[in-house]
């Protein structure tokens, strides 16, 4: 037989099943410590009227509705917002009204177990907090608008019902309700859709922005004004605005200046990830010159000039970079000196370094290796896609494996293992040659590495599909071929 329910549990179940008009009066007598559990009971049972009443009487500053369940529930949301409407309709706020923040963000099970995540730099008590909130000045509470927190995704096609309902509700209550969004994804190129979705949002609340969609210039022009208001942005991903599509040099120069100026004002930016955009060409000084908080920089398939790299090597943020990725950037055309200087500047802080598919050859490697040896904090190094010979690759392996904090490296197959086409371009891998060269590579690695370090060869890759073929050393000493996803820079181990 199971454990019989306690009197407390029975009382809660009876209360949440009550649909009488006196439910609000009944909640006045409920101890605040029981509110979180009572809310869960009402939510699990789908008791909308009880949820509506509980939102009005919630005795904590913050209610994480998104932390109650793994998936958003539209009916529970409607009940919560209906309860807020009843409060907002009152001329004078009730004495017991403590709720300031309704947080609708979904929370992982790990974070749910740890408690409430931070909100705009502070840590308000979570919905299941065992502590009562601190008292605050009544007049200040009246002046402060109610805050709704929601992560937004703007995309083409029909919106999710949950998000659409919140945006519609917030638009009708502007001035009385503040809509904050810490994470914003824009997957739509429609300027009117972007404008409409962002109209009720406090743009200075956005801390992470992902733009992953082809934009016409009309959308870029509209969004430039909104970007300038995101003063607290910490992470920015920008992609899919290729110079191969935007072919007007005059317009490209205009938008390059405009976006470089806006990006350069984002003083709180800590991570900048830019992939396949035209407006980076020659504009790194304007963008990075004043970004003193930058810790992560990823530039992929971007038209950089050698002067950009020279500026980056002397930029103040280079001395504090922890993660750096240059991918599909034609470094082979440049002198190796700017890259060497950049690595020397970042040597004391750099934990992750990726120089991928950059056309680096044996000629550039001797200038880079001494700077690489100085990277005392380096834990991960990715160098795939660069055509270097077996001898140079063995030297590179031994240099990186000797670094004190080094844990994992991804390297290219030796140049000698490829077919060479008639025009001198590298073809596919010659399997027999490649297998013969694994022995010398493994010997060079084992001579300098420790058992805990991981060594992989990226035999083939496709950036568009974000897939690669990895040849790794298995636990029994045999080589294993696997197909893996190419990790984003933030996902790479330090």
């Amino acid at each position: 037989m199971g454990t019989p329910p306690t009197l407390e549990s029975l009382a809660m179940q009876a209360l949440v099943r009550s649909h009488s008009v006196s439910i609000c009066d009944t909640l006045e007598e409920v101890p605040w410590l029981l509110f979180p559990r009572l809310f869960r009971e009402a939510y699990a049972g789908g008791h909308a009227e009880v949820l509506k009443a509980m939102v009005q009487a919630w005795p904590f500053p913050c209610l994480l509705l998104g932390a109650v369940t793994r998936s958003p529930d539209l009916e529970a949301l409607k009940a919560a917002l209906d309860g807020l409407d009843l409060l907002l309709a009152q001329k004078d706020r009730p004495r017991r009204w403590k709720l300031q923040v309704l947080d609708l963000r979904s929370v992982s099970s790990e974070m749910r177990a740890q408690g409430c995540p931070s909100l705009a730099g502070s840590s308000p008590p979570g919905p299941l907090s065992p502590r009562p909130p601190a008292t605050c000045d009544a007049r200040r509470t009246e002046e402060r608008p109610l805050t709704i927190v929601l992560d937004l995704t703007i995309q083409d096609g029909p919106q999710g019902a949950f998000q659409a309902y919140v945006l519609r509700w917030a638009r009708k209550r502007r001035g009385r309700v503040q809509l904050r969004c810490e994470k914003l994804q824009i997957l739509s190129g429609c300027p009117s859709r972007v404008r409409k979705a962002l109209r009720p949002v406090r743009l200075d609340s956005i801390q992470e922005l992902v733009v992953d969609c082809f934009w016409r210039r009309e959308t870029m022009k509209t969004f430039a004004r909104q970007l300038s208001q995101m003063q607290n942005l910490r992470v920015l991903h920008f992609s899919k605005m290729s110079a191969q599509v935007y072919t007007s040099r005059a317009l490209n120069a205009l938008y390059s200046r405009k976006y470089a100026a806006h990006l350069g004002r984002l003083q709180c930016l800590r991570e900048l990830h830019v992939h396949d955009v035209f407006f980076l060409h020659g504009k790194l000084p304007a963008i990075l010159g004043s970004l003193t908080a930058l810790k992560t920089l990823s530039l992929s398939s971007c038209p950089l000039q050698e002067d950009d790299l020279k500026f980056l090597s002397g930029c103040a943020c280079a001395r504090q970079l922890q993660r750096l990725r240059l991918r599909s950037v034609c470094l082979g055309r440049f002198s190796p000196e700017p890259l060497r200087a950049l690595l020397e500047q970042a040597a004391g802080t750099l934990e992750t370094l990726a120089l991928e598919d950059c056309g680096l050859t044996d000629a550039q490697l001797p200038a880079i290796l001494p700077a690489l040896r100085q990277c005392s904090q380096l834990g991960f190094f990715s160098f795939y896609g660069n055509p270097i010979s077996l001898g140079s690759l063995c030297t590179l392996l031994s240099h990186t494996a000797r670094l004190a904090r080094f844990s994992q490296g991804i390297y290219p197959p030796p140049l000698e293992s490829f077919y060479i086409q008639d025009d001198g371009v590298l073809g596919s891998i010659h399997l027999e040659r490649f297998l013969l060269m694994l022995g010398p590579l493994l010997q060079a690695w084992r001579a300098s590495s420790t058992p805990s370090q991981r060594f992989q060869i990226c035999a083939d890759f496709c950036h568009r599909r974000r897939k690669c073929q990895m040849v790794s050393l298995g636990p029994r000493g045999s080589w294993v071929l696997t197909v893996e996803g190419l990790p984003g820079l933030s996902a790479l181990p330090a």
Side-chain angles (χ1 to χ4, degrees):
M1 292 180 61
T3 305
T6 63
L7 289 176
E8 182 183 288
S9 298
L10 292 172
M12 283 191 180
Q13 291 171 16
L15 181 59
V16 298
R17 293 192 183 103
S18 171
H19 295 282
S20 66
V21 293
S22 63
I23 182 70
C24 289
D25 295 332
T26 305
L27 288 173
E28 286 283 344
E29 307 302 323
V30 175
W32 56 267
L33 278 172
L34 298 182
F35 259 75
R37 185 173 171 188
L38 186 60
F39 192 89
R40 287 190 183 276
E41 291 275 358
Y43 189 96
H47 300 289
E49 292 301 316
V50 180
L51 290 175
K52 186 190 305 185
M54 290 198 70
V55 168
Q56 296 174 67
W58 191 253
F60 303 97
C62 182
L63 170 57
L64 264 77
L65 189 62
V68 180
T69 181
R70 287 185 174 85
S71 58
D73 186 291
L74 184 58
E75 294 307 313
L77 171 70
K78 289 180 178 179
L81 296 183
D82 285 347
L84 294 180
D85 274 333
L86 292 173
L87 284 174
L88 293 169
Q90 300 181 38
K91 185 176 181 180
D92 298 318
R93 290 192 173 186
R95 176 181 57 83
R96 197 174 177 179
W97 183 3
K98 298 294 192 299
L99 185 61
Q100 300 168 17
V101 177
L102 179 63
D103 196 331
L104 304 176
R105 295 173 296 177
S106 59
V107 179
S108 67
S109 56
E110 292 82 4
M111 290 183 68
R112 195 179 294 115
Q114 294 169 7
C116 173
S118 64
L119 175 63
S122 63
S123 298
L128 308 183
S129 171
R131 295 285 179 186
T135 57
C136 57
D137 182 79
R139 288 174 300 172
R140 187 175 179 185
T141 303
E142 285 183 12
E143 295 170 359
R144 182 183 299 151
L146 182 71
T147 298
I148 310 291
V149 186
L150 177 71
D151 291 337
L152 288 178
T153 298
I154 305 172
Q155 58 189 1
D156 295 324
Q159 273 188 320
F162 188 93
Q163 177 176 293
Y165 191 89
V166 174
L167 291 176
R168 187 164 57 249
W169 187 87
R171 275 195 295 268
K172 294 177 180 178
R173 293 156 183 82
R174 290 186 68 181
R176 293 180 297 160
V177 173
Q178 201 175 83
L179 184 60
R180 290 179 172 266
C181 168
E182 290 195 1
K183 293 183 180 181
L184 170 64
Q185 282 193 93
I186 302 180
L187 311 178
S188 171
C190 176
S192 61
R193 183 181 290 267
V194 174
R195 274 197 308 269
K196 184 178 179 181
L198 293 182
R199 193 173 296 141
V201 178
R202 279 204 57 162
L203 298 180
D204 61 353
S205 68
I206 298 171
Q207 297 187 24
E208 182 174 342
L209 170 63
V210 176
V211 178
D212 189 11
C213 184
F214 169 74
W215 278 1
R216 299 188 183 278
R217 288 194 175 89
E218 181 186 356
T219 310
M220 293 192 68
K221 183 178 180 180
T222 298
F223 189 71
R225 295 190 293 270
Q226 296 166 327
L227 181 63
S228 65
Q229 299 177 55
M230 300 179 187
Q231 293 301 312
N232 292 307
L233 201 63
R234 285 162 171 73
V235 181
L236 174 59
H237 294 255
F238 231 120
S239 62
K240 296 184 180 177
M241 298 179 197
S242 174
Q244 295 178 358
V245 176
Y246 299 97
T247 54
S248 169
R249 289 189 176 182
L251 285 174
N252 283 0
L254 172 65
Y255 281 95
S256 293
R257 288 195 300 271
K258 184 186 293 285
Y259 268 79
H262 287 310
L263 291 172
R265 297 191 191 108
L266 301 177
Q267 298 295 313
C268 296
L269 201 65
R270 296 175 62 86
E271 294 188 24
L272 179 60
H273 306 256
V274 184
H275 170 68
D276 196 19
V277 299
F278 70 86
F279 58 73
L280 209 63
H281 187 65
K283 297 300 177 185
L284 274 192
I287 296 173
L288 300 181
S290 57
L291 298 185
T292 56
L294 198 68
K295 304 290 185 183
T296 297
L297 179 62
S298 175
L299 306 177
S300 174
S301 300
C302 294
L304 291 184
Q305 296 176 343
E306 187 167 347
D307 286 344
D308 289 323
L309 208 58
K310 288 179 180 177
F311 170 81
L312 182 57
S313 65
C315 187
C317 68
R319 292 189 289 272
Q320 62 191 30
L321 282 178
Q322 295 174 351
R323 296 170 184 263
L324 172 65
R325 163 173 277 157
L326 299 176
R327 174 189 280 176
S328 300
V329 176
C330 296
L331 299 180
R333 297 185 289 108
F334 303 159
S335 163
E337 290 307 308
L339 180 57
R340 177 196 58 77
L342 173 59
L343 294 181
E344 287 178 349
Q345 288 292 315
T349 58
L350 201 60
E351 300 171 0
T352 298
L353 174 62
L355 304 172
E356 301 162 339
D357 189 31
C358 290
L360 293 169
T361 64
D362 290 4
Q364 282 93 11
L365 207 56
I368 299 171
L369 285 177
L372 196 58
R373 281 199 301 268
Q374 298 177 38
C375 296
S376 57
Q377 305 300 311
L378 194 66
F380 178 90
F381 178 61
S382 179
F383 197 72
Y384 72 78
N386 295 295
I388 60 174
S389 66
L390 176 62
S392 295
L393 185 54
C394 288
T395 303
L396 181 62
L397 286 173
S398 62
H399 275 69
T400 51
R402 288 193 180 101
L403 294 171
R405 295 181 178 272
F406 193 72
S407 61
Q408 182 180 354
I410 300 177
Y411 304 89
L415 184 63
E416 294 90 341
S417 60
F418 288 91
Y419 286 103
I420 306 297
Q421 299 178 4
D422 294 338
D423 55 2
V425 176
L426 292 183
S428 58
I429 286 182
H430 189 294
L431 185 57
E432 291 183 4
R433 291 183 204 159
F434 176 63
L435 293 176
L436 287 174
M437 293 177 189
L438 289 178
L441 291 176
L442 182 57
Q443 184 177 359
W445 175 258
R446 284 180 169 167
S448 307
S449 66
T450 63
S452 63
Q453 294 174 332
R454 192 179 182 199
F455 161 51
Q456 291 181 294
I457 297 175
C458 180
D460 197 10
F461 58 90
C462 178
H463 290 156
R464 184 175 60 84
R465 295 181 179 179
R466 298 177 183 175
K467 295 288 185 181
C468 62
Q469 291 183 352
M470 290 290 192
V471 178
S472 310
L473 197 62
R476 297 183 178 179
S478 58
W479 294 98
V480 179
L481 177 65
T482 56
V483 176
E484 302 179 11
L486 287 171
L489 189 60
S490 298
L492 294 176

